[in-house]
Amino acid sequence: MSLFVAWLGALIALVAILVVPFTVPALRRALITRPLLLRFRRVMPRMSQTEREALEAGTVGWDGELFSGRPAWDQLLAIPRSTLTAEEQHFLDHEVETLCTMVSDWETTNVHKDLPPRVWQYIKDQGFLGMIIPKAFGGLGFSAYAHSQVVMKLCTRCATVAVTVLVPNSLGPGELLLHYGTDAQKRHYLPRLARGEEIPCFALTNPQAGSDAAAIPDWGVVCEGDHDGKRVLGLRVTWDKRYITLGPVATLLGLAFRAYDPRHLVGERQDLGITCALIPTSHPGVEIGRRHMPLNAVFQNGPNSGHDVFIPMDWVIGGAPMLGKGWRMLMESLAAGRGISLPSSNTGMGKLAVRTTGAYARVRRQFNMPIGRFEGVEEALTRMGGNLYAMDATRALTATIVDRGEKPSVLSGIAKLHITERARDIINDAMDIAGGKGICMGPSNVLGAAYMQMPVSITVEGANILTRSLIIFGQGAIRCHPYVLREMAATQERDRRRALLDFDRALFAHLRFAARNFLRALALGLTGSHFVRVPVDVAPETHRYYQQLTRLSSSLALISDVAMGSLGGALKRKEKLSARLGDVLSQLYVCSATLWRFEQDGRQPADAPLMHWAIWDAMFKAQSALEGVLDNFPNPMLGALMRRVVFPLGRPYVMPADELGHEVAKLLIEPSATRDRLTGGMFIGDPEEPVGLLERALALTMAAEPVERRLSDAIRSGALDARLPPGKGAPEIAARAVSAGVISESEAALLASQRELAARVVRVDDFAQDLGTSLLVPGEQGEAPMSAASASPRVFAEPDTMPMSAP
Ligand SMILES: Cc1cc2nc3c(=O)[nH]c(=O)nc-3n(C[C@H](O)[C@H](O)[C@H](O)COP(=O)(O)OP(=O)(O)OC[C@H]3O[C@@H](n4cnc5c(N)ncnc54)[C@H](O)[C@@H]3O)c2cc1C
C-alpha cells in the first residue's frame, strides 16, 4: 500500500512538473516561451520590407481552410458561381464574337506581324481595353468572371488579340490608378484608358532583375526641374526595361523604379523604395518602339529605356505620399490580375485543343480505325479531358472569389501555376495525337502556334518554377497558417515584454493546433477517414472525396508544422520540400474547385467521369508530393515517424482507373452536351475554317459510321466483294454496295461527303519553295484546303491590313 502511495505520489509529481509550467502563465513564459523566443529570433532571418509587403499582401480565404486540417466544405459549396449580367452576355455574343471573326492567328502572325489597324480600332472603340474600369470613368465595369470569359473566348481564336486585351485589364496603369491614383490622375487617365485613347503598358522587368523584381536597379532621384515652363518638384529617372508587353505601341508607360531622396526634399529617408509612375511615351527622353519576338508571337512586346528623364511629382501614382510604396501596390494588385489573365487565356487554349483534337481523333483513321479508339491515344485524350475540366473549374472559382471582393494572393498563384502547367500537358498531348498535322504550320494548323508559345505563359506573371518553389508554400504557409504570421511578427517586435506576451499566446495556440492535427491525421489514417462529417447536400458519388480531402488537409497541416518547426527559416532554402508541400495545397485547391464545379453545374451525371478522373488524379499527385517530402525530410527519423502517422495503413490513393479513363476519352470524340459544357464559351466560327470544318467532319463521321459498319459486315459475310482493281477505291465499293442493296444511294452520298470532308481535315498546308512571301499563299496545288486565307482572300488585298508595327 505504502509502495502504491509512493508510486502515485511520484506520478503526480511528474505530471505536475510537466503540466504546471504549461498552465501557470508566468512560469510558462519564463521557462518555455522566453528561451524559445530567443532561439526563434536567432534562427529566423530578418524580414526585409519587400518580403513583409509580399507576405502581407492580399487576403486569406479558402486557402486558410485548406491549411486548417479541417476545411469547412459547406463554406465552399455556399459560394455561388459568378454569373454574367445581360450586358456582359451581350458583349460576349456580339462584340467578342465580331472581334473573333475579324482576326485569325495565322494572318496576324505571318501577314501583319501585329493586329491589323482596323482590329486595333475596334478593340479601342468597343472598350476592350477598359473592361475593369468602372462605368463612372467610362469603362465597361465588368466583373472578374466576365473579364475571364472574354479573354478565354478570344484565346480560342487568336492568342495575339487575347494578350493585347488582357494586359491592360491585368496589373498595370488601370488597376494601379483605380486603387492608388489621386483623384486628378483618375479623372484624367481612366476615361482615356477606357476609350482606348491611351494604350498602357507596365514596365517592371530589368535585364538585371527578372524574378527578383524587387531588386530592380532602375532609379529616380528627387529633385527640382523644369516642367511646362515652371520649376517643380519631381524625379530624374533612369531605367532600362525589357520584355514589356504593349511597350512598343504604348502611349502611357507605367514605370517601376527605386526612388532616392539624397537631399531630403520630401523627408528623412534617403532610400524611399520602389515607386510607380505614369509617363506619357511622348515625353522627351523616353526611348521606346523596338520589338522582341517572343517565340514568334506577334503581340507587341519590347524594351524601353530612359536616361536622366525629369518627371514631375504628380506623375507618381498617388503623388508624393506614394513614393516608395510601389512594391506594396504591386503585390496588393497582383492577385486579381494573376488569377484571371493567364488562367483564362490558357483555359481557352485548352478548350480549343480539346475540342479540335477530340474531333480529329474520331475523323482521322489509321489501321482502319479512328485513332481515338486506340488505347494509347485514348490515354492522352483522357488526360486532356480531365485536365481541362479541372482547369476550367479552377478558373471559374478563382474569378468568382475575386468577384466576392477577395484578393487571393496564394490561390491566384496556384491558379496561374497549375492552369498553365495543365495547359502545357494538354498541348503536348494534342500535338502527339495530331502527329504531322500539328507540326506543319499554316492556316489549317490550330495547335502549332500554341505549342510554340506555351513557355510565354509559363514564364510571365511569376515564372512557374519560382512560383512553385518559393511562393505557393512559402507565402501560403505563413499567410494561411492561423499562428505562424503572429509568431513571426512577435519575433520582430522591438518591445520585449509585448514580444514575449504575443509569442506566448501564438505559440501555445499553435502547439494545441499541431497536437489536434497530429491526432486527427492519425485517426483519419487509421479509419480511412470514413467518419469525417460531410456536407449534407452533396452529390452522393462525391461523398468520399470530401472525407479523403479532409484527410489530406490534416496531413498537410501536420507535416507543414513539423517542417516549419524543425527547419525554421532554413525551409525557405529547401525549395524542393517547399515546392512539394505547395503541390499538396495546390491539388487540394484544384479538387475543391472540381467538386464545387460539379455542384454548380447541377451534378450532371454525364460529366461525372471528368470530375472523378480529375479528383483521383489530383489526390494521387498530392499523395506523391507528400511522399516526396517524407522520403527527403532532412531528419529521416522525423520523416519516418510522420509517414507512420499520415499513411499508417499504406498509400490510400491510386491513379485514375483505365476504365474511368476510357469513359472520359469517349466524351471527347463524339458530340454531346458534356463536350459542349467542357469546351463552353469558345469561338467556333465559320464552317469553312479549321474549327468549323472539324465540327462538320465529326458530325458527318458519326452519321457515316453505322453505314461503314454495315459495309464491313457485308464484306466479312461475303455478301459484298471488296477486291478492287488498281486505281479503284472506296467509291467503287460504295457503288457495289448500292447495287447489292447493302446501302441506299443517299447513304453512299453520305459516305462520299464524309470522305471528302475527312480528307480536307487531314490535309496540311504547303507553300512555295521560298517559304517567304509565299506564306501568304498556302495550297500550291491551286486550293487552300482549310485555310482562313482562302476563305477570305480579300483580306490580303485590303490596304488597312498590310503589315504594320503600330496601331
Ligand atoms: C513575353 C513576355 C512578356 C512579358 N511582359 C512583361 C511586362 O509587360 N512587364 C514586365 O515588367 N515584365 C514582363 N515580362 C517579364 C517577366 O515577368 C519575366 O520574364 C519573369 O519575371 C522572369 O524573369 P526572367 O525572364 O528574367 O527570368 P529569370 O529571373 O532569369 O529566371 C530564370 C529561371 O529561374 C527561376 N528562378 C529564379 N529565381 C528562382 C528562385 N529563387 N527559386 C526557384 N527558381 C527561380 C525562374 O522561375 C525561371 O525559371 C514579360 C516576359 C515575357 C517573356
Side-chain angles (χ1 to χ4, degrees), residues 62-143:
W62 184 245
D63 36 354
E65 288 295 318
L66 293 177
F67 243 108
S68 70
R70 205 168 52 168
W73 295 107
D74 307 83
Q75 259 180 41
L76 174 79
L77 298 175
I79 301 175
R81 176 162 41 202
S82 286
T83 48
L84 299 173
T85 62
E87 190 187 337
E88 290 165 345
Q89 187 64 59
H90 185 274
F91 190 80
L92 270 159
D93 296 342
H94 295 85
E95 283 83 350
V96 180
E97 189 78 8
T98 304
L99 180 54
C100 286
T101 58
M102 290 171 78
V103 286
S104 93
D105 220 43
W106 176 255
E107 286 169 34
T108 308
T109 306
N110 296 287
V111 183
H112 310 291
K113 309 285 182 199
D114 186 11
L115 294 173
R118 69 197 166 101
V119 173
W120 268 107
Q121 202 54 50
Y122 187 78
I123 287 174
K124 293 176 191 174
D125 291 347
Q126 303 304 322
F128 278 92
L129 302 183
M131 283 191 288
I132 60 163
I133 295 177
K135 289 192 168 155
F137 291 106
L140 294 179
F142 279 1
S143 67

Side-chain angles (χ1 to χ4, degrees), residues 177 180-182 185 276 313-323 329:
L177 278 172
Y180 310 100
T182 61
Q185 288 170 338
C276 298
M313 193 59 82
D314 54 12
W315 287 7
V316 169
I317 300 179
M322 295 307 274
L323 278 169
M329 286 158 62

Side-chain angles (χ1 to χ4, degrees), residues 381-399:
L381 284 171
T382 302
R383 279 193 298 269
M384 292 178 72
N387 274 331
L388 181 59
Y389 188 83
M391 282 160 67
D392 204 12
T394 307
R395 172 194 72 91
L397 178 59
T398 310

Side-chain angles (χ1 to χ4, degrees), residues 547-773:
Q547 297 180 321
Q548 305 272 25
L549 295 173
T550 299
R551 176 178 175 186
L552 275 169
S553 165
S554 303
S555 304
L556 172 66
L558 173 67
I559 295 175
S560 301
D561 267 333
V562 174
M564 286 190 284
S566 59
L567 293 169
L571 183 55
K572 193 171 154 183
R573 289 183 297 279
K574 292 272 172 211
E575 287 195 351
K576 291 177 195 161
L577 290 190
S578 178
R580 290 175 190 136
L581 287 167
D583 287 346
V584 181
L585 178 65
S586 303
Q587 298 302 345
L588 280 171
Y589 182 53
V590 171
C591 286
S592 307
T594 303
L595 290 171
W596 174 82
R597 173 190 179 162
F598 190 65
E599 293 294 329
Q600 296 290 319
D601 282 353
R603 304 178 188 173
Q604 300 294 334
D607 300 2
L610 294 160
M611 178 272 293
H612 287 302
W613 191 93
I615 298 277
W616 276 107
D617 175 68
M619 289 197 305
F620 184 70
K621 284 179 178 152
Q623 172 179 271
S624 306
L626 273 179
E627 291 202 300
V629 174
L630 298 174
D631 288 346
N632 296 285
F633 218 71
N635 179 335
M637 297 264 287
L638 217 46
L641 178 69
M642 286 302 108
R643 179 184 285 283
R644 293 263 177 279
V645 176
V646 298
F647 299 132
L649 305 177
R651 304 179 342 149
Y653 311 108
V654 293
M655 281 167 66
D658 284 350
E659 213 171 306
L660 175 61
H662 174 68
E663 294 302 313
V664 171
K666 257 187 7 197
L667 293 171
L668 267 59
I669 62 170
E670 57 193 41
S672 67
T674 294
R675 180 170 176 263
D676 290 344
R677 267 190 297 275
L678 185 63
T679 57
M682 72 173 273
F683 177 77
I684 302 288
D686 192 300
E688 282 301 315
E689 291 185 335
V691 181
L693 201 65
L694 268 162
E695 288 293 298
R696 285 166 52 215
L698 175 63
L700 266 186
T701 302
M702 301 290 299
E705 276 179 2
V707 185
E708 292 272 13
R709 261 197 303 279
R710 241 182 305 137
L711 272 185
S712 301
D713 289 348
I715 292 167
R716 242 194 319 273
S717 69
L720 197 64
D721 184 2
R723 287 167 302 170
L724 293 171
K728 297 280 182 191
E732 172 64 22
I733 294 186
R736 288 182 193 172
V738 172
S739 306
V742 176
I743 60 172
S744 67
E745 293 221 350
S746 63
E747 286 171 331
L750 170 70
L751 288 182
S753 312
Q754 190 278 338
R755 270 194 298 274
E756 193 211 321
L757 216 48
R760 289 179 68 191
V761 159
V762 166
R763 283 183 71 169
V764 297
D765 301 302
D766 49 45
F767 303 90
Q769 268 288 331
D770 66 352
L771 279 186
T773 47

